[in-house]
Amino acid sequence: MIIHLTKSATPAEKQEIFNRIKQAGLNYEVSHGATGIDLVGVLGDATGIEESRFLELDGVDKVIRISRPYKLVSREFSPASKIIDIGGVEVGGGDVVIMAGPCALENEKQIMTIAQYVHALGIPVIRGGAYKPRTSPYSFQGMGLEGIKLLAKAREKYGLKIITEATGLHRHIRDDGSREEKNVLENVIEFADIIQVGARNMKSYGFLQELAILTKGNAKPILLKRGESSTIKDFLLAAEYLVANGNPNVLLCLRGIRTFEEEKFQRYTADVGAIAVLKKESNLPVIFDPSHATGYRSNVYRVGMAAIAAGADGLIVETHNDPANALCDGEQCVTKDQLQKIKEDAEKIKALIH
Amino acid sequence: MIIHLTKSATPAEKQEIFNRIKQAGLNYEVSHGATGIDLVGVLGDATGIEESRFLELDGVDKVIRISRPYKLVSREFSPASKIIDIGGVEVGGGDVVIMAGPCALENEKQIMTIAQYVHALGIPVIRGGAYKPRTSPYSFQGMGLEGIKLLAKAREKYGLKIITEATGLHRHIRDDGSREEKNVLENVIEFADIIQVGARNMKSYGFLQELAILTKGNAKPILLKRGESSTIKDFLLAAEYLVANGNPNVLLCLRGIRTFEEEKFQRYTADVGAIAVLKKESNLPVIFDPSHATGYRSNVYRVGMAAIAAGADGLIVETHNDPANALCDGEQCVTKDQLQKIKEDAEKIKALIH
Amino acid sequence: MIIHLTKSATPAEKQEIFNRIKQAGLNYEVSHGATGIDLVGVLGDATGIEESRFLELDGVDKVIRISRPYKLVSREFSPASKIIDIGGVEVGGGDVVIMAGPCALENEKQIMTIAQYVHALGIPVIRGGAYKPRTSPYSFQGMGLEGIKLLAKAREKYGLKIITEATGLHRHIRDDGSREEKNVLENVIEFADIIQVGARNMKSYGFLQELAILTKGNAKPILLKRGESSTIKDFLLAAEYLVANGNPNVLLCLRGIRTFEEEKFQRYTADVGAIAVLKKESNLPVIFDPSHATGYRSNVYRVGMAAIAAGADGLIVETHNDPANALCDGEQCVTKDQLQKIKEDAEKIKALIH
Amino acid sequence: MIIHLTKSATPAEKQEIFNRIKQAGLNYEVSHGATGIDLVGVLGDATGIEESRFLELDGVDKVIRISRPYKLVSREFSPASKIIDIGGVEVGGGDVVIMAGPCALENEKQIMTIAQYVHALGIPVIRGGAYKPRTSPYSFQGMGLEGIKLLAKAREKYGLKIITEATGLHRHIRDDGSREEKNVLENVIEFADIIQVGARNMKSYGFLQELAILTKGNAKPILLKRGESSTIKDFLLAAEYLVANGNPNVLLCLRGIRTFEEEKFQRYTADVGAIAVLKKESNLPVIFDPSHATGYRSNVYRVGMAAIAAGADGLIVETHNDPANALCDGEQCVTKDQLQKIKEDAEKIKALIH
């Protein structure tokens, strides 16, 4: 941590700053700048110390934290890339891993049809939302536990792994107004092979804690989506929450960020450049979601290929047997044929890039 | 809803679009554009219909939703401004309402000292976080239930109303590693006069549902903070979630948004312009938080006054008896004297603006 | 400048970094961090040194510039607030200065009508665009020199100062396809009392240089608008370009920034929080433009008052005698009555805030 | 154009709206909405009509422009992809075109060394800035005309095409304080094979007009960079300015946009998702600049490959024979070996994607 003093800082103000540093159990050294402004370097481990302790003192101009606030997920402290094993499917080991399925689980026929072709294409993981976080309270909110059970049925029949989103610790409201017995997270933990944390919940820190504590025993993999406007630092700190609370098996997932880009052209801004940043800054695998990042089926293939070229370890893609009648996000679901092309070309590009 | 066709849309494609509209129980009419491109106006209540139903059809260029997706919180449908009564304190009725207190509750002495001067200044509501959503897992996470009880003690002694944040449905972890018996929301509902939903949870829709259901009976007021990058539409839809699930007493709270602005100069971008937009678009009261919106004590007064000039119904302000030793956000806490000036000048400006 | 080394930096890599610092005529000192990572503080005036000189060396993790890159416009180096005198009208001296007029100059009758009521309201400066930078090549591009001459006529009749925008160094194309003799900047310099540089040209550095050089002699005031997404640092560096090239009389003008906020609700995001930042960081006066910042007449008053409450030294406001028939931005032009209220209440708020 | 009325619009207000439409030479039809709110569809070519003409009328809630405001550069009106021939080098025809060279031209040796290896790698176009738009007035401002002449010498020796930036219509200031005889644009037009318009000047519309007029005769290709926060619509309108004023040979160049992403991790946010949008929306070729989009040499390769995978027609890449001593942007310049890999792998990916 570096403290930049004001030009007019008095000796007494400086002394108070030094005292404060000492009180925090740290040390310091002063550089006398050419412009008459001093820098105070704070020595020692300042991880748990707030910038605000110093920022609010007279004579302080700026406080700059230089060291990384995350440790366990950082490549600086753990250089080796983490490979996560999902019942035999390795993510982060060099091969492209595709996860595909509908946005929302709708009914048995839909799930089984999609599972059948996902399996036939050699894709190891099926996705599907049973609990849907919807922007409008009037939109379809998901099938709930019933959907997850159907997904589990597809798993059994086709030997797929399943990933589904835990939207929180509340009890889902069924269509008839009654409520499920267990809360959403409990149901997801019970059935899923990979637990998805959505972008909207990336900063629900209490939820992250609970999730990590409940999965401490089996370390079931968690796919953590980046919040729509979270910085890379905050994204890695959210991953740190999971690891620090007991579950080290975190997959980082990028799915587009919110910028000034126009919505009618693309749903979010595909943050493909962040892939290389994350791979360098962290030891965790990186998955990219081209469906949400673009919002239009016609762009999913191209942006998905871009993500692989940029170094992603895998893709999570929305697909539907009948996009025109999908209950959710139909316009960004690819067809079976498009999915096949995505898988094949992703593997070719992965082999090419190094 | 308006469907803009592609220039090359065929008669068969058009027919399929028309059929799809009919299937959704809606009607349509076609405008033949001068440029050879047709517009299809969808007639009827399309509130529950996804744009995607049409967007993914061949021959469709764009789908534009024109009507507002929120109803209960919209001034269009309920023109009268909502006044919310908090045990005698009216918000939205023309007077400025100030809520003030520390970022985090720290200990009895701190709470009582601050409560004493908040009360002495004629401020009716004290704030204070017992459950702190922190970006880093290594930061102070709040006093939990013990803190809320101290806040309740201050309420008793000084006749203040209390507002505190419910960070979710998890059970708080105490410093000794043990966990509280009830979940965070239950504790907050039991003690608070106003329940705060933080920016990080604005899109935790399951949590919003649960909160609204649990407070349906007494309709305890909820202060809903805008997510750091949520659009105005999404902010109002989050409020709609609360109202549609049973609690109509929602206070909208702006607290700065995330933009490209540089962090060292200001923590967030103060979204003062959104006040006038919300007051026009919605019937709910609007509170502004100048502490988080600026991040620096020296700017809180000015941006607070700006918010009142822009039409806010009140301010929620962080204050501390000893900012230099605050456990959280000390640099944005104002002193007692600054708070007094904020209160007095806010009232003068409110009286002046009409 | 601080250089943060990688954990794995070798002695040879460090030596190369030290050599590089010495070559640049600077000195250094090393802090050995608790985490095994070293910091190198660069000593001496590094203003002219690019971060890239060090960033690209092996063993370097990050390079952080701590000192301000601007000097002449900075309060750190010139603490006294600059007061700019525009022929007797002082900006930055404590009084609110209003500048008002139409977006575009349209014809003699419009200009004289508006000038008459601007003058009658006691507003000292009239604005009006003769050269209009339009997003579409098919929109009205302004009256050109003919418009400026009419504005000068209004100045003569009503004793107003005039501000108009110089859009560049090109020669304006008249409606009949012919071109003006002099370039736009020459015409504006000849006639204007304050030369406006628009947001779109804030980073046209060659144009800024030319403008400063051409006005070196008389130091005619320049109102520099912030680019729609320029950082505060870049905004102040653009002002530094003007001052460093010979013209110290710069007014900083905020006019809203581009964020993810929805366009239909507001044209830009009013950057009211930046006023306090600029007043603290720079010694130059700050003007706010609530017309562009909001885009809707109904919000101009409120956001204008917010800007004054936040510390702005003045407002530049669009007004029109017949907004419904304005050739440009009619929806954000206030009427005479609204303008009167803006002036009167701005003065009251200014008197109140301190 | 669609006009959405307020719920409370009176018959008289509606009549005034209809009159206004008629006055503009257009027609209308009204849809009576289920919610009691009417929509007015404006019929006829509204390209030259401002939204503001209607937006400011009583009874109007929103005005929505549905048709595209650009014509000549739009795929809707000119479906065939434009192929641009640069003296035998075709851009947009299916092959990847690489342009490479230093950020700034520095001296003869540097230019010739780089030209030699660019040529040897089979890269047909060399880039190099003679006029450098720098954020700080104290940074190196470029060699000026002398640099361009050296670039022309390299062209002669190695048979390369040259691209260099025209930063405006000002006269460059030499190191000794004297000024060049011709203005920057004249010099660039005289020597360059492709004229680059930088991101900072994308909205300098007068400059775009002048550039298009001066190159009308030979239609020398123009590479137009997207402004750091310009929307896709505004980017295409800037291209429309060039085409509408006489020069149809425009290459669209993406180079990263400004978002909330942290600067220390990446200079801009790589807008790779915009490639597919532009290819669909416009008929012009799209070039991607991975050097500015990332800001770090180590990410240039990956993001460059991503851009090709996403459909870019070519890359413009910064390279330097001695990055550690580059006068500008050294940390984002790739070496000769990295450039070779970029070229080879870009061609492989291009061949693979379809």
Side-chain angles (χ1 to χ4, degrees):
Chain A
M1 203 179 271
I2 302 285
I3 302 176
H4 187 245
L5 303 190
T6 60
K7 206 177 173 180
S8 58
T10 66
E13 287 169 355
K14 289 181 193 177
Q15 194 52 53
E16 175 59 26
I17 295 163
F18 301 154
N19 292 347
R20 181 64 64 98
I21 295 170
K22 289 286 193 186
Q23 278 167 26
L26 300 167
N27 233 316
Y28 63 91
E29 61 186 18
V30 181
S31 301
H32 301 285
T35 54
I37 297 167
D38 291 343
L39 283 184
V40 180
V42 178
L43 307 178
D45 183 358
T47 308
I49 312 293
E50 308 281 304
E51 282 95 325
S52 59
R53 276 189 90 77
F54 306 111
L55 197 50
E56 64 77 38
L57 294 176
D58 291 327
V60 171
D61 180 44
K62 289 186 271 195
V63 177
I64 298 156
R65 185 185 288 280
I66 294 188
S67 59
R68 289 162 175 80
Y70 36 82
K71 292 240 151 104
L72 305 171
V73 304
S74 135
R75 196 175 286 280
E76 188 174 37
F77 289 89
S78 310
S81 292
K82 189 163 178 59
I83 297 174
I84 293 179
D85 179 15
I86 304 153
V89 179
E90 284 194 346
V91 187
D95 289 340
V96 169
V97 175
I98 310 283
M99 309 178 185
C103 176
L105 301 168
E106 297 172 10
N107 55 61
E108 180 160 2
K109 190 174 161 226
Q110 174 231 27
I111 297 169
M112 287 303 172
T113 308
I114 295 172
Q116 187 276 327
Y117 73 70
V118 163
H119 168 70
L121 294 176
I123 290 173
V125 184
I126 186 167
R127 61 151 285 156
Y131 302 105
K132 297 301 305 169
R134 303 306 295 273
T135 306
S136 166
Y138 308 119
S139 297
F140 174 59
Q141 306 275 325
M143 285 183 83
L145 181 57
E146 192 195 342
I148 297 193
K149 287 183 177 166
L150 290 170
L151 202 57
K153 199 169 159 184
R155 165 172 54 191
E156 232 171 292
K157 180 153 183 198
Y158 294 109
L160 296 163
K161 304 295 165 195
I162 65 184
I163 173 168
T164 196
E165 180 174 355
T167 55
L169 296 161
H170 56 288
R171 288 166 52 222
H172 182 68
I173 306 173
R174 296 192 193 95
D175 274 355
D176 64 6
S178 68
R179 306 183 72 187
E180 294 188 354
E181 279 69 39
K182 294 187 183 172
N183 73 43
V184 163
L185 179 57
E186 288 171 304
N187 285 330
V188 169
I189 288 179
E190 184 178 343
F191 287 95
D193 297 300
I194 309 173
I195 300 154
Q196 178 177 322
V197 176
R200 292 170 187 79
N201 288 309
M202 193 208 85
K203 293 198 175 181
S204 296
Y205 299 118
F207 172 64
L208 297 185
Q209 275 180 339
E210 196 92 26
L211 166 55
I213 290 168
L214 290 177
T215 55
K216 210 171 189 165
N218 56 13
K220 198 167 265 199
I222 297 166
L223 181 136
L224 177 69
K225 287 197 160 187
R226 179 185 188 181
E228 65 178 8
S229 69
S230 93
T231 60
I232 284 165
K233 191 184 79 178
D234 287 0
F235 186 26
L236 291 176
L237 278 167
E240 185 89 359
Y241 254 101
L242 294 170
V243 180
N245 280 285
N247 189 335
N249 289 330
V250 179
L251 302 160
L252 301 173
C253 180
L254 298 169
R255 38 74 81 199
I257 54 172
R258 185 171 293 279
T259 71
F260 66 85
E261 289 251 29
E262 291 158 306
E263 269 191 57
K264 73 179 172 199
F265 287 128
Q266 43 195 347
R267 187 167 173 183
Y268 289 98
T269 294
D271 45 348
V272 168
I275 298 170
V277 173
L278 288 175
K279 296 295 289 184
K280 191 177 164 196
E281 193 63 20
S282 167
N283 52 33
L284 298 173
V286 178
I287 302 294
F288 197 86
D289 172 350
S291 305
H292 287 86
T294 60
Y296 296 101
R297 186 183 313 140
S298 57
N299 293 350
V300 169
Y301 167 70
R302 295 212 167 244
V303 171
M305 294 309 99
I308 296 298
D313 297 295
L315 300 176
I316 181 162
V317 180
E318 290 189 355
T319 182
H320 201 283
N321 55 320
D322 182 11
N325 287 301
L327 290 183
C328 173
D329 288 353
E331 75 282 13
Q332 70 189 33
C333 285
V334 298
T335 61
K336 180 189 169 184
D337 288 353
Q338 290 168 321
L339 183 60
Q340 179 168 13
K341 196 171 157 212
I342 286 171
K343 181 179 184 284
E344 291 174 359
D345 288 357
E347 287 168 356
K348 288 183 200 157
I349 291 178
K350 191 74 181 176
L352 204 145
I353 293 284
H354 38 86
Chain B
M1 203 179 272
I2 302 285
I3 302 175
H4 187 244
L5 304 190
T6 61
K7 204 176 174 179
S8 58
T10 65
E13 287 169 355
K14 291 181 192 179
Q15 194 53 54
E16 176 57 25
I17 295 164
F18 302 155
N19 292 347
R20 179 64 62 102
I21 295 170
K22 290 286 194 187
Q23 279 166 26
L26 300 166
N27 233 315
Y28 64 89
E29 62 186 18
V30 181
S31 300
H32 300 285
T35 53
I37 297 166
D38 291 343
L39 283 184
V40 180
V42 178
L43 308 177
D45 183 359
T47 308
I49 312 294
E50 309 280 304
E51 282 96 323
S52 58
R53 277 189 89 78
F54 306 111
L55 198 51
E56 65 78 40
L57 295 176
D58 291 329
V60 171
D61 180 42
K62 288 185 273 194
V63 178
I64 298 156
R65 184 184 290 278
I66 293 188
S67 58
R68 289 162 174 79
Y70 37 83
K71 292 242 151 103
L72 305 171
V73 303
S74 136
R75 197 174 285 282
E76 188 173 38
F77 288 91
S78 311
S81 292
K82 189 162 178 61
I83 297 175
I84 294 179
D85 179 15
I86 304 153
V89 180
E90 284 196 346
V91 188
D95 290 339
V96 169
V97 176
I98 310 283
M99 310 178 185
C103 175
L105 301 168
E106 297 173 11
N107 56 60
E108 181 160 2
K109 191 176 158 225
Q110 174 230 26
I111 297 169
M112 286 302 170
T113 308
I114 295 172
Q116 189 275 328
Y117 72 70
V118 163
H119 168 68
L121 294 175
I123 291 173
V125 184
I126 186 166
R127 61 151 286 155
Y131 301 106
K132 298 302 307 169
R134 303 307 296 275
T135 306
S136 165
Y138 307 119
S139 299
F140 174 58
Q141 307 273 326
M143 284 184 83
L145 181 57
E146 192 196 343
I148 298 192
K149 286 182 178 167
L150 290 170
L151 202 57
K153 201 170 157 184
R155 165 171 54 190
E156 232 170 293
K157 180 154 182 196
Y158 294 108
L160 297 163
K161 305 297 165 194
I162 65 183
I163 174 169
T164 196
E165 179 174 355
T167 55
L169 297 161
H170 55 290
R171 287 165 53 221
H172 183 68
I173 306 174
R174 297 194 192 92
D175 274 356
D176 64 5
S178 68
R179 306 185 72 186
E180 294 187 352
E181 280 67 40
K182 294 187 182 172
N183 74 44
V184 164
L185 179 57
E186 288 171 305
N187 285 330
V188 170
I189 287 179
E190 184 177 343
F191 287 94
D193 297 300
I194 309 172
I195 300 154
Q196 178 177 321
V197 176
R200 291 170 187 80
N201 287 310
M202 194 207 85
K203 293 198 175 180
S204 295
Y205 298 119
F207 171 64
L208 298 185
Q209 275 180 339
E210 195 93 26
L211 166 56
I213 290 168
L214 291 177
T215 55
K216 209 173 190 164
N218 56 12
K220 198 166 265 200
I222 298 166
L223 181 137
L224 177 69
K225 288 197 159 187
R226 180 184 187 182
E228 65 177 9
S229 69
S230 93
T231 60
I232 284 166
K233 190 184 80 178
D234 288 1
F235 186 27
L236 291 176
L237 278 167
E240 186 89 0
Y241 255 100
L242 293 170
V243 180
N245 281 285
N247 189 335
N249 290 330
V250 179
L251 302 160
L252 301 172
C253 180
L254 298 169
R255 39 75 80 198
I257 55 172
R258 186 171 291 281
T259 71
F260 66 85
E261 290 250 28
E262 291 158 304
E263 270 190 57
K264 73 179 170 199
F265 287 128
Q266 42 194 347
R267 187 166 174 183
Y268 289 97
T269 294
D271 44 347
V272 168
I275 297 170
V277 173
L278 288 175
K279 295 295 290 181
K280 191 176 164 195
E281 194 63 20
S282 167
N283 52 32
L284 298 173
V286 177
I287 302 295
F288 196 86
D289 171 351
S291 306
H292 286 87
T294 60
Y296 296 101
R297 187 183 314 139
S298 57
N299 294 349
V300 169
Y301 167 71
R302 295 211 168 245
V303 171
M305 294 310 98
I308 297 297
D313 296 294
L315 300 177
I316 182 163
V317 180
E318 290 189 354
T319 184
H320 202 284
N321 55 321
D322 183 11
N325 288 302
L327 289 182
C328 172
D329 287 354
E331 75 281 12
Q332 69 189 34
C333 285
V334 298
T335 61
K336 180 189 168 185
D337 289 352
Q338 290 168 322
L339 184 59
Q340 179 169 11
K341 196 172 158 212
I342 286 171
K343 181 178 183 284
E344 291 174 0
D345 288 358
E347 287 167 357
K348 289 182 202 158
I349 291 178
K350 190 74 181 178
L352 204 146
I353 293 283
H354 38 87
Chain C
M1 203 178 271
I2 302 284
I3 302 176
H4 187 245
L5 303 190
T6 61
K7 205 176 173 180
S8 58
T10 65
E13 287 168 356
K14 290 181 191 177
Q15 195 51 55
E16 175 58 25
I17 295 163
F18 302 154
N19 293 347
R20 179 65 63 99
I21 295 170
K22 289 286 193 187
Q23 280 167 27
L26 300 166
N27 232 315
Y28 64 90
E29 62 185 18
V30 181
S31 301
H32 301 285
T35 53
I37 297 165
D38 291 343
L39 283 184
V40 180
V42 178
L43 307 177
D45 183 359
T47 309
I49 313 293
E50 309 280 306
E51 282 94 324
S52 58
R53 276 188 91 76
F54 306 110
L55 198 50
E56 65 78 38
L57 295 176
D58 290 328
V60 172
D61 180 44
K62 288 186 272 193
V63 177
I64 298 155
R65 184 185 290 279
I66 293 189
S67 58
R68 290 164 173 79
Y70 36 83
K71 292 239 150 105
L72 305 171
V73 303
S74 136
R75 196 174 286 280
E76 188 173 38
F77 289 91
S78 311
S81 292
K82 190 165 178 58
I83 297 174
I84 295 179
D85 179 15
I86 304 153
V89 179
E90 283 195 345
V91 188
D95 290 339
V96 169
V97 176
I98 311 283
M99 311 179 184
C103 175
L105 302 167
E106 297 173 11
N107 56 60
E108 181 160 3
K109 189 174 160 229
Q110 174 231 25
I111 297 170
M112 287 301 173
T113 307
I114 296 172
Q116 188 275 327
Y117 72 72
V118 163
H119 168 68
L121 294 176
I123 290 173
V125 184
I126 186 166
R127 61 150 287 155
Y131 302 106
K132 297 301 307 170
R134 302 307 296 273
T135 306
S136 165
Y138 307 119
S139 298
F140 173 60
Q141 307 273 325
M143 284 184 84
L145 182 57
E146 193 196 341
I148 297 191
K149 286 182 176 167
L150 289 171
L151 201 57
K153 201 169 158 184
R155 164 170 56 190
E156 231 170 293
K157 180 153 182 197
Y158 294 107
L160 296 163
K161 305 296 165 194
I162 65 184
I163 173 169
T164 196
E165 179 174 354
T167 53
L169 296 161
H170 56 288
R171 288 165 52 223
H172 183 68
I173 306 174
R174 295 192 193 93
D175 274 355
D176 64 5
S178 68
R179 306 185 71 186
E180 294 188 353
E181 280 69 38
K182 294 187 182 172
N183 74 44
V184 163
L185 180 59
E186 288 171 304
N187 285 330
V188 169
I189 287 179
E190 184 177 344
F191 287 94
D193 297 301
I194 308 172
I195 300 154
Q196 178 177 320
V197 176
R200 292 170 186 80
N201 286 310
M202 193 208 84
K203 293 199 175 180
S204 295
Y205 299 119
F207 171 64
L208 298 184
Q209 276 181 339
E210 196 94 26
L211 166 55
I213 291 168
L214 290 177
T215 55
K216 209 173 189 163
N218 55 13
K220 197 166 266 200
I222 298 166
L223 181 136
L224 177 69
K225 288 198 159 186
R226 179 185 188 181
E228 65 178 6
S229 68
S230 92
T231 60
I232 284 165
K233 191 184 79 177
D234 288 1
F235 186 27
L236 290 176
L237 278 167
E240 186 89 0
Y241 255 101
L242 293 170
V243 179
N245 280 284
N247 189 335
N249 290 330
V250 178
L251 302 160
L252 301 173
C253 181
L254 298 169
R255 39 73 81 197
I257 55 173
R258 185 172 292 280
T259 71
F260 66 85
E261 290 251 28
E262 291 158 306
E263 271 192 55
K264 74 181 168 195
F265 287 127
Q266 42 194 349
R267 188 167 173 183
Y268 289 98
T269 294
D271 44 349
V272 168
I275 297 170
V277 173
L278 288 175
K279 296 295 289 183
K280 191 177 164 196
E281 194 64 21
S282 167
N283 52 32
L284 297 173
V286 177
I287 302 295
F288 196 86
D289 172 350
S291 306
H292 286 86
T294 60
Y296 295 100
R297 187 184 313 140
S298 57
N299 294 349
V300 170
Y301 167 70
R302 296 211 166 244
V303 171
M305 293 311 98
I308 296 298
D313 296 294
L315 300 176
I316 182 163
V317 180
E318 290 190 354
T319 183
H320 201 284
N321 55 321
D322 182 10
N325 287 302
L327 290 183
C328 173
D329 288 352
E331 76 281 13
Q332 69 189 35
C333 285
V334 297
T335 62
K336 180 189 170 186
D337 289 352
Q338 290 168 320
L339 183 60
Q340 179 169 11
K341 196 171 158 215
I342 287 171
K343 180 177 184 287
E344 291 174 359
D345 289 357
E347 286 168 357
K348 288 182 202 158
I349 291 178
K350 190 75 180 174
L352 203 145
I353 293 283
H354 40 86
Chain D
M1 202 178 274
I2 302 284
I3 301 175
H4 186 245
L5 303 191
T6 61
K7 205 175 173 181
S8 58
T10 65
E13 287 169 355
K14 290 182 190 177
Q15 194 53 54
E16 175 58 25
I17 295 163
F18 301 155
N19 293 347
R20 180 65 63 99
I21 295 171
K22 288 287 194 185
Q23 279 166 26
L26 301 167
N27 232 315
Y28 64 91
E29 62 186 17
V30 182
S31 302
H32 301 285
T35 54
I37 298 166
D38 291 343
L39 283 183
V40 180
V42 178
L43 308 178
D45 183 359
T47 308
I49 311 294
E50 309 280 305
E51 282 94 325
S52 59
R53 277 188 90 78
F54 306 111
L55 198 51
E56 65 78 39
L57 295 176
D58 291 328
V60 172
D61 179 45
K62 289 186 273 193
V63 177
I64 297 155
R65 184 184 290 280
I66 293 188
S67 59
R68 289 163 174 79
Y70 37 82
K71 293 242 149 104
L72 305 170
V73 303
S74 135
R75 196 175 286 280
E76 188 174 38
F77 289 91
S78 310
S81 293
K82 189 161 178 62
I83 297 173
I84 294 179
D85 180 14
I86 304 153
V89 179
E90 284 194 346
V91 188
D95 289 340
V96 170
V97 175
I98 310 283
M99 311 178 183
C103 175
L105 302 167
E106 297 172 11
N107 56 61
E108 180 160 2
K109 189 172 161 230
Q110 173 230 29
I111 297 169
M112 287 303 172
T113 307
I114 295 172
Q116 187 275 327
Y117 74 68
V118 163
H119 168 69
L121 294 176
I123 290 173
V125 183
I126 187 168
R127 62 150 286 155
Y131 302 106
K132 297 301 307 170
R134 302 306 295 274
T135 305
S136 166
Y138 308 118
S139 298
F140 174 59
Q141 306 273 326
M143 286 184 81
L145 181 57
E146 193 196 341
I148 297 192
K149 286 183 177 166
L150 290 171
L151 202 57
K153 200 169 158 186
R155 163 171 56 192
E156 231 171 293
K157 179 152 182 199
Y158 294 108
L160 296 163
K161 305 297 165 192
I162 66 184
I163 174 169
T164 196
E165 180 174 353
T167 54
L169 296 161
H170 56 290
R171 289 165 51 222
H172 182 68
I173 306 173
R174 296 192 192 94
D175 274 354
D176 63 6
S178 68
R179 307 185 71 186
E180 295 188 351
E181 280 69 39
K182 294 187 183 172
N183 73 45
V184 163
L185 179 57
E186 287 171 305
N187 285 331
V188 169
I189 287 179
E190 184 177 344
F191 286 94
D193 297 301
I194 308 172
I195 299 154
Q196 179 177 320
V197 176
R200 292 170 187 80
N201 287 309
M202 193 208 86
K203 292 198 175 181
S204 297
Y205 299 118
F207 172 63
L208 297 185
Q209 275 180 338
E210 196 94 25
L211 166 56
I213 290 169
L214 291 177
T215 55
K216 208 172 190 164
N218 56 14
K220 197 167 267 199
I222 297 166
L223 180 136
L224 177 70
K225 287 197 160 186
R226 180 185 187 181
E228 64 178 7
S229 69
S230 93
T231 60
I232 284 166
K233 190 184 80 178
D234 287 1
F235 186 27
L236 290 176
L237 278 167
E240 186 90 359
Y241 255 101
L242 294 170
V243 180
N245 280 285
N247 188 334
N249 289 331
V250 179
L251 301 160
L252 301 173
C253 180
L254 298 168
R255 39 74 80 198
I257 56 173
R258 186 172 291 279
T259 71
F260 66 86
E261 290 251 29
E262 291 158 306
E263 269 191 57
K264 74 180 170 197
F265 287 128
Q266 43 195 347
R267 188 168 173 181
Y268 289 98
T269 293
D271 45 347
V272 168
I275 297 169
V277 173
L278 288 175
K279 295 295 290 183
K280 191 177 165 195
E281 194 64 20
S282 166
N283 52 33
L284 297 174
V286 178
I287 302 295
F288 197 86
D289 171 350
S291 306
H292 286 86
T294 61
Y296 295 100
R297 188 185 312 141
S298 57
N299 294 350
V300 170
Y301 166 71
R302 294 212 168 244
V303 171
M305 295 309 98
I308 296 298
D313 297 295
L315 301 176
I316 181 162
V317 180
E318 290 189 355
T319 183
H320 201 284
N321 55 321
D322 182 11
N325 288 301
L327 290 183
C328 173
D329 288 353
E331 76 282 10
Q332 69 189 34
C333 285
V334 298
T335 61
K336 180 189 169 185
D337 289 352
Q338 291 168 320
L339 183 60
Q340 178 168 12
K341 194 170 157 214
I342 286 171
K343 180 178 185 285
E344 291 173 359
D345 288 357
E347 286 167 357
K348 288 182 201 157
I349 291 178
K350 190 75 180 176
L352 203 145
I353 293 284
H354 38 86

